[in-house]
Amino acid sequence: MRKTLILASLITTSYSCAGDHSQIPLAQTRLPHRNNSCTSRVLSPQPKTTAITNVNVFDGYAFQPSQTILIQGSHIVPFAFPFAIDSIIDGTDKFLIPGLMDSHVHPETCEDLDALASYGVTTAMLMACYDQEKCGGMKDQGGLTTDLLSSGIPAISPKTAHARLASFLTSGSKELLLQPDSDIPTLVQTAFRNGADFYKIVAEENGPSVERQKEIVREVHKLGKQTMTHASHPEHYLEAIESGTDGIQHVFADNFIEESTVEKIKENKNMFVTPTMEMYRITFSHWRLIFLLRGFSGLFESRSQYNNVQENVRRLHAAGIPLLAGTDAIGNALRTLTGASMPFGASLHCELENLVGVGLSPAEALRSATVVPAVSHRLEDRGMIVPGMRADLVLLNGNPLLDIRNARNIERVWIQGVEFEGVADGKRFSCQDLV
């Protein structure tokens, strides 16, 4: 049972380098950048200063009416007269929110980043990177597409499910695994020297011991960085908590989280959870994918398993544990084989619906994809609409606090003050289309 639970999240990365990554159609006009990995883009001139007038602005809890937000360069600046404004956008009857963040996702190409941006996802957390040169080539696009932050190669022990994945993705290099004699300080320092933004630990059957996890966390914290721990079974949750990790990735589906476990999370100040409900919702809605992961037994358990996921997120929310919106999306890599699709960008909006469905208010759901991940991931330059912050903004045609589905009725998107040219028509999309 534990192995199949691990595979439910494992599958989302093991096939991310294969298949058709096409998404819901978006405009093809793209922008250039110095980075060779994101070339072949058509130049689209950007105004230096933009004013969005008479707009309702989300302050993290509610919308403040009739505001003027000024973008100058890559940041939001205080509005004052006189000011040379290149572009004025009338925001009457529209709603401005911070750029959304997907706190657990697996883009592989710049087109994947574009798909995220088309749905207003301006920051993405890549939770596993087996090729730092490739991942680095997708970073720092100067506002032209979604901003990517990533782990390096995760801390994976030999003879585990994730070790088999690493072997598949890296031609079997044992040097990438956390061996019994591995020098953890060197592993950690190498990961960050090679461009990692945080360090991921994989707690699983035969995975690193609690003591090794603690050592990794200590070394990462010495560098002022954070750890994220994959945990999809109750005993691995307890390991992650005891290690002192910063963020737990996933919830578990085969049991209910106990009150004592929740209390232990609360005792670890600033610890947060990214439950990735959407990955489970999709997994448990496609019988071919269930059969691939669990065999015949899974076909009779899928409904109750997702109910467990929902209940566990309810319990975490009721206890006040910070919850971050993350999808584990991989695009259409498994669609031909199983019928399952986890589209970039659109899936984040499904996750917001999932969170509202288990008791979060629409405002809390928006916070889980804006200010809460910004604080949790120590991204001090984004997540709120105030002067001095990056101009990562999404202009909506409807009020998402009345209906969270309005968050995908997008008029415009800005990333570091650059307007994204390929906004998706979110009104045509339904999360039920994926299942």
Side-chain angles (χ1 to χ4, degrees), residues 33-34 74 139-145 147 415-416 418:
H33 191 266
R34 65 187 180 276
S74 61
K139 292 183 177 182
D140 301 324
Q141 297 300 319
L144 303 181
T145 192
D147 189 30
I415 306 172
Q416 284 187 263
V418 179

Side-chain angles (χ1 to χ4, degrees), residues 50-63:
T50 300
I52 309 169
T53 63
N54 303 313
V55 70
N56 301 291
V57 177
F58 185 61
D59 66 3
Y61 299 93
F63 280 100

